[in-house]
Amino acid sequence: MPLLKVENLKKYYPIRRGVLRRVVGHVRAVDGVDFAIEGGECFSLVGESGCGKTTTGRTILGLQRADGGTVSFKERDITTLPPGKMRPVRRNLQMIFQDPYGSLNPRFTVGRIIGEGISIFEPKLSKADRTDRVRQLLEIVGLPPDSLRRYPHEFSGGQRQRIGIARAIALNPEFIVCDEPVSALDVSVQAQIINLLSDLRRKYNLSYLFIAHDLAVVKHISDHVAVMYLGKIMESAPKEELFGNPRHPYTLALLSAVPVPDPKIKRERIVLKGGVPSPANPPAGCPFHPRCNQADTRCSQEPPPVVEVSPGHTVRCWRSLCLTQ
């Protein structure tokens, strides 16, 4: 059984207008998402900004309440758990945030930031033991032990993200949502953080939901990749299958934009027309059809089913359905 299973997950935000602030519609940030993550697996969620990736991660962790669907952790539905029963589960579900500057309290020392969760979940631990634990965590993420007395503003962006990683692994979790953890960092620092995350996953058998928009980074760290567009997963496959045999037109367009280091290799760039539709008023049929260069009349009228084109490789596209028949 998978460690984490997401079924038909939905998160809508109400649109209010008028003096009485009546609800006149909803922003469908996450609109029926399904996937499963095995123990020790890195499952990546990619797509353009605003497609619902971060909202999916935050809803899974209960930072935002789901409006539909279920999230099962170790076969236990955690979407409807009351706060008292959810609290013991939280130590196994952690998050590394995108912004290494805004995610750390500037008034707290690094020792307090990393040790806060330990003091909450292990209140009987002595202050000396907690300090030793924090020093060990700092060494694990590549920071000197004396960093615990310093404040976040004294560190660079990459070092702050290491502090965020230390905080995330402080309670020995099994599952971590990595919300674009390297997008705000320099390229050389990105490689260091990605390697650190890979090492920690192997060492502690961690499972990741890795949220990103950089397919080059995703290819390096992932086991399985899902491509998201306008709140829905359009294609999902093992990494080698998705990069070697992409089937959805949106996936093909994203891959065509990835820079190729070898100048001798020429790749045709697929330029998408128009912009991403509003999630408050998604198009009928396939959400991608207004920008798709292969769309026909059926695509604009009927939502496409999810088709399994090969073991573990699913595509939400009428064209893929025709190719499999």
PDB file of all heavy atoms in Angstrom, residues 254-273:
ATOM      1  N   LEU A 254       6.073  21.822 -22.447  1.00  0.00           N
ATOM      2  CA  LEU A 254       6.971  22.104 -21.322  1.00  0.00           C
ATOM      3  C   LEU A 254       8.365  21.548 -21.584  1.00  0.00           C
ATOM      4  O   LEU A 254       9.370  22.221 -21.334  1.00  0.00           O
ATOM      5  CB  LEU A 254       6.401  21.498 -20.039  1.00  0.00           C
ATOM      6  CG  LEU A 254       5.129  22.128 -19.458  1.00  0.00           C
ATOM      7  CD1 LEU A 254       4.706  21.373 -18.204  1.00  0.00           C
ATOM      8  CD2 LEU A 254       5.339  23.601 -19.140  1.00  0.00           C
ATOM      9  N   LEU A 255       8.439  20.337 -22.101  1.00  0.00           N
ATOM     10  CA  LEU A 255       9.740  19.717 -22.352  1.00  0.00           C
ATOM     11  C   LEU A 255      10.492  20.430 -23.464  1.00  0.00           C
ATOM     12  O   LEU A 255      11.730  20.483 -23.458  1.00  0.00           O
ATOM     13  CB  LEU A 255       9.552  18.234 -22.695  1.00  0.00           C
ATOM     14  CG  LEU A 255       9.100  17.331 -21.549  1.00  0.00           C
ATOM     15  CD1 LEU A 255       8.802  15.923 -22.044  1.00  0.00           C
ATOM     16  CD2 LEU A 255      10.154  17.287 -20.454  1.00  0.00           C
ATOM     17  N   SER A 256       9.774  20.993 -24.431  1.00  0.00           N
ATOM     18  CA  SER A 256      10.442  21.698 -25.529  1.00  0.00           C
ATOM     19  C   SER A 256      11.115  22.980 -25.050  1.00  0.00           C
ATOM     20  O   SER A 256      11.987  23.516 -25.728  1.00  0.00           O
ATOM     21  CB  SER A 256       9.436  22.013 -26.638  1.00  0.00           C
ATOM     22  OG  SER A 256       8.587  23.103 -26.276  1.00  0.00           O
ATOM     23  N   ALA A 257      10.693  23.476 -23.885  1.00  0.00           N
ATOM     24  CA  ALA A 257      11.263  24.714 -23.350  1.00  0.00           C
ATOM     25  C   ALA A 257      12.483  24.477 -22.472  1.00  0.00           C
ATOM     26  O   ALA A 257      13.133  25.440 -22.048  1.00  0.00           O
ATOM     27  CB  ALA A 257      10.206  25.472 -22.560  1.00  0.00           C
ATOM     28  N   VAL A 258      12.808  23.223 -22.169  1.00  0.00           N
ATOM     29  CA  VAL A 258      13.964  22.920 -21.328  1.00  0.00           C
ATOM     30  C   VAL A 258      15.245  23.146 -22.127  1.00  0.00           C
ATOM     31  O   VAL A 258      15.399  22.585 -23.217  1.00  0.00           O
ATOM     32  CB  VAL A 258      13.903  21.468 -20.821  1.00  0.00           C
ATOM     33  CG1 VAL A 258      15.143  21.140 -19.990  1.00  0.00           C
ATOM     34  CG2 VAL A 258      12.644  21.246 -20.002  1.00  0.00           C
ATOM     35  N   PRO A 259      16.186  23.965 -21.640  1.00  0.00           N
ATOM     36  CA  PRO A 259      17.429  24.209 -22.388  1.00  0.00           C
ATOM     37  C   PRO A 259      18.231  22.922 -22.567  1.00  0.00           C
ATOM     38  O   PRO A 259      18.304  22.083 -21.663  1.00  0.00           O
ATOM     39  CB  PRO A 259      18.184  25.207 -21.498  1.00  0.00           C
ATOM     40  CG  PRO A 259      17.138  25.811 -20.620  1.00  0.00           C
ATOM     41  CD  PRO A 259      16.105  24.752 -20.402  1.00  0.00           C
ATOM     42  N   VAL A 260      18.836  22.784 -23.734  1.00  0.00           N
ATOM     43  CA  VAL A 260      19.691  21.637 -24.036  1.00  0.00           C
ATOM     44  C   VAL A 260      21.141  22.095 -23.968  1.00  0.00           C
ATOM     45  O   VAL A 260      21.522  23.040 -24.669  1.00  0.00           O
ATOM     46  CB  VAL A 260      19.372  21.061 -25.435  1.00  0.00           C
ATOM     47  CG1 VAL A 260      20.275  19.880 -25.739  1.00  0.00           C
ATOM     48  CG2 VAL A 260      17.920  20.659 -25.525  1.00  0.00           C
ATOM     49  N   PRO A 261      21.982  21.471 -23.124  1.00  0.00           N
ATOM     50  CA  PRO A 261      23.368  21.945 -22.971  1.00  0.00           C
ATOM     51  C   PRO A 261      24.230  21.759 -24.216  1.00  0.00           C
ATOM     52  O   PRO A 261      25.208  22.476 -24.396  1.00  0.00           O
ATOM     53  CB  PRO A 261      23.900  21.121 -21.786  1.00  0.00           C
ATOM     54  CG  PRO A 261      23.012  19.920 -21.722  1.00  0.00           C
ATOM     55  CD  PRO A 261      21.664  20.363 -22.198  1.00  0.00           C
ATOM     56  N   ASP A 262      23.876  20.803 -25.070  1.00  0.00           N
ATOM     57  CA  ASP A 262      24.668  20.538 -26.273  1.00  0.00           C
ATOM     58  C   ASP A 262      24.143  21.397 -27.424  1.00  0.00           C
ATOM     59  O   ASP A 262      23.019  21.194 -27.893  1.00  0.00           O
ATOM     60  CB  ASP A 262      24.583  19.054 -26.639  1.00  0.00           C
ATOM     61  CG  ASP A 262      25.548  18.681 -27.759  1.00  0.00           C
ATOM     62  OD1 ASP A 262      26.113  19.593 -28.385  1.00  0.00           O
ATOM     63  OD2 ASP A 262      25.739  17.473 -28.000  1.00  0.00           O
ATOM     64  N   PRO A 263      24.927  22.367 -27.921  1.00  0.00           N
ATOM     65  CA  PRO A 263      24.439  23.236 -28.997  1.00  0.00           C
ATOM     66  C   PRO A 263      24.214  22.506 -30.319  1.00  0.00           C
ATOM     67  O   PRO A 263      23.534  23.029 -31.209  1.00  0.00           O
ATOM     68  CB  PRO A 263      25.552  24.289 -29.123  1.00  0.00           C
ATOM     69  CG  PRO A 263      26.774  23.623 -28.581  1.00  0.00           C
ATOM     70  CD  PRO A 263      26.292  22.704 -27.506  1.00  0.00           C
ATOM     71  N   LYS A 264      24.769  21.312 -30.469  1.00  0.00           N
ATOM     72  CA  LYS A 264      24.580  20.558 -31.705  1.00  0.00           C
ATOM     73  C   LYS A 264      23.188  19.936 -31.796  1.00  0.00           C
ATOM     74  O   LYS A 264      22.724  19.572 -32.874  1.00  0.00           O
ATOM     75  CB  LYS A 264      25.643  19.456 -31.804  1.00  0.00           C
ATOM     76  CG  LYS A 264      27.068  19.986 -31.899  1.00  0.00           C
ATOM     77  CD  LYS A 264      28.061  18.836 -31.972  1.00  0.00           C
ATOM     78  CE  LYS A 264      29.489  19.367 -32.055  1.00  0.00           C
ATOM     79  NZ  LYS A 264      30.485  18.260 -32.104  1.00  0.00           N
ATOM     80  N   ILE A 265      22.549  19.802 -30.641  1.00  0.00           N
ATOM     81  CA  ILE A 265      21.208  19.204 -30.618  1.00  0.00           C
ATOM     82  C   ILE A 265      20.178  20.297 -30.858  1.00  0.00           C
ATOM     83  O   ILE A 265      20.095  21.272 -30.115  1.00  0.00           O
ATOM     84  CB  ILE A 265      20.940  18.497 -29.271  1.00  0.00           C
ATOM     85  CG1 ILE A 265      21.952  17.361 -29.051  1.00  0.00           C
ATOM     86  CG2 ILE A 265      19.512  17.953 -29.229  1.00  0.00           C
ATOM     87  CD1 ILE A 265      21.797  16.664 -27.720  1.00  0.00           C
ATOM     88  N   LYS A 266      19.411  20.145 -31.902  1.00  0.00           N
ATOM     89  CA  LYS A 266      18.371  21.113 -32.237  1.00  0.00           C
ATOM     90  C   LYS A 266      17.012  20.549 -31.824  1.00  0.00           C
ATOM     91  O   LYS A 266      16.676  19.421 -32.157  1.00  0.00           O
ATOM     92  CB  LYS A 266      18.380  21.400 -33.746  1.00  0.00           C
ATOM     93  CG  LYS A 266      19.704  21.934 -34.264  1.00  0.00           C
ATOM     94  CD  LYS A 266      20.064  23.278 -33.640  1.00  0.00           C
ATOM     95  CE  LYS A 266      21.385  23.804 -34.200  1.00  0.00           C
ATOM     96  NZ  LYS A 266      21.776  25.083 -33.582  1.00  0.00           N
ATOM     97  N   ARG A 267      16.268  21.341 -31.091  1.00  0.00           N
ATOM     98  CA  ARG A 267      14.951  20.905 -30.634  1.00  0.00           C
ATOM     99  C   ARG A 267      13.910  21.932 -31.068  1.00  0.00           C
ATOM    100  O   ARG A 267      14.098  23.138 -30.899  1.00  0.00           O
ATOM    101  CB  ARG A 267      14.929  20.764 -29.108  1.00  0.00           C
ATOM    102  CG  ARG A 267      13.564  20.382 -28.554  1.00  0.00           C
ATOM    103  CD  ARG A 267      13.568  20.424 -27.031  1.00  0.00           C
ATOM    104  NE  ARG A 267      14.360  19.357 -26.462  1.00  0.00           N
ATOM    105  CZ  ARG A 267      14.686  19.287 -25.170  1.00  0.00           C
ATOM    106  NH1 ARG A 267      14.304  20.241 -24.344  1.00  0.00           N
ATOM    107  NH2 ARG A 267      15.401  18.284 -24.713  1.00  0.00           N
ATOM    108  N   GLU A 268      12.826  21.436 -31.618  1.00  0.00           N
ATOM    109  CA  GLU A 268      11.756  22.329 -32.050  1.00  0.00           C
ATOM    110  C   GLU A 268      11.001  22.857 -30.836  1.00  0.00           C
ATOM    111  O   GLU A 268      10.535  22.082 -30.000  1.00  0.00           O
ATOM    112  CB  GLU A 268      10.787  21.596 -32.977  1.00  0.00           C
ATOM    113  CG  GLU A 268       9.663  22.477 -33.499  1.00  0.00           C
ATOM    114  CD  GLU A 268       8.699  21.716 -34.380  1.00  0.00           C
ATOM    115  OE1 GLU A 268       8.958  20.515 -34.644  1.00  0.00           O
ATOM    116  OE2 GLU A 268       7.693  22.305 -34.792  1.00  0.00           O
ATOM    117  N   ARG A 269      10.903  24.164 -30.737  1.00  0.00           N
ATOM    118  CA  ARG A 269      10.213  24.788 -29.613  1.00  0.00           C
ATOM    119  C   ARG A 269       8.715  24.866 -29.901  1.00  0.00           C
ATOM    120  O   ARG A 269       8.304  25.315 -30.971  1.00  0.00           O
ATOM    121  CB  ARG A 269      10.782  26.188 -29.380  1.00  0.00           C
ATOM    122  CG  ARG A 269      10.091  26.973 -28.273  1.00  0.00           C
ATOM    123  CD  ARG A 269      10.460  26.414 -26.912  1.00  0.00           C
ATOM    124  NE  ARG A 269       9.706  27.078 -25.867  1.00  0.00           N
ATOM    125  CZ  ARG A 269      10.074  28.223 -25.275  1.00  0.00           C
ATOM    126  NH1 ARG A 269      11.187  28.825 -25.651  1.00  0.00           N
ATOM    127  NH2 ARG A 269       9.347  28.752 -24.325  1.00  0.00           N
ATOM    128  N   ILE A 270       7.907  24.403 -28.968  1.00  0.00           N
ATOM    129  CA  ILE A 270       6.455  24.475 -29.084  1.00  0.00           C
ATOM    130  C   ILE A 270       5.983  25.700 -28.305  1.00  0.00           C
ATOM    131  O   ILE A 270       6.107  25.747 -27.080  1.00  0.00           O
ATOM    132  CB  ILE A 270       5.777  23.199 -28.550  1.00  0.00           C
ATOM    133  CG1 ILE A 270       6.272  21.965 -29.315  1.00  0.00           C
ATOM    134  CG2 ILE A 270       4.261  23.312 -28.650  1.00  0.00           C
ATOM    135  CD1 ILE A 270       5.767  20.652 -28.744  1.00  0.00           C
ATOM    136  N   VAL A 271       5.487  26.685 -29.006  1.00  0.00           N
ATOM    137  CA  VAL A 271       5.034  27.925 -28.377  1.00  0.00           C
ATOM    138  C   VAL A 271       3.525  27.851 -28.187  1.00  0.00           C
ATOM    139  O   VAL A 271       2.768  27.704 -29.149  1.00  0.00           O
ATOM    140  CB  VAL A 271       5.406  29.151 -29.234  1.00  0.00           C
ATOM    141  CG1 VAL A 271       4.923  30.432 -28.555  1.00  0.00           C
ATOM    142  CG2 VAL A 271       6.911  29.208 -29.464  1.00  0.00           C
ATOM    143  N   LEU A 272       3.081  27.953 -26.956  1.00  0.00           N
ATOM    144  CA  LEU A 272       1.653  27.884 -26.653  1.00  0.00           C
ATOM    145  C   LEU A 272       1.003  29.234 -26.936  1.00  0.00           C
ATOM    146  O   LEU A 272       1.561  30.285 -26.635  1.00  0.00           O
ATOM    147  CB  LEU A 272       1.436  27.506 -25.187  1.00  0.00           C
ATOM    148  CG  LEU A 272       1.964  26.133 -24.765  1.00  0.00           C
ATOM    149  CD1 LEU A 272       1.741  25.938 -23.265  1.00  0.00           C
ATOM    150  CD2 LEU A 272       1.285  25.024 -25.539  1.00  0.00           C
ATOM    151  N   LYS A 273      -0.167  29.183 -27.497  1.00  0.00           N
ATOM    152  CA  LYS A 273      -0.894  30.417 -27.797  1.00  0.00           C
ATOM    153  C   LYS A 273      -1.695  30.859 -26.571  1.00  0.00           C
ATOM    154  O   LYS A 273      -2.170  30.044 -25.787  1.00  0.00           O
ATOM    155  CB  LYS A 273      -1.835  30.209 -28.978  1.00  0.00           C
ATOM    156  CG  LYS A 273      -2.810  29.051 -28.807  1.00  0.00           C
ATOM    157  CD  LYS A 273      -3.591  28.809 -30.078  1.00  0.00           C
ATOM    158  CE  LYS A 273      -4.542  27.620 -29.911  1.00  0.00           C
ATOM    159  NZ  LYS A 273      -5.276  27.315 -31.149  1.00  0.00           N
TER     160      LYS A 273
END
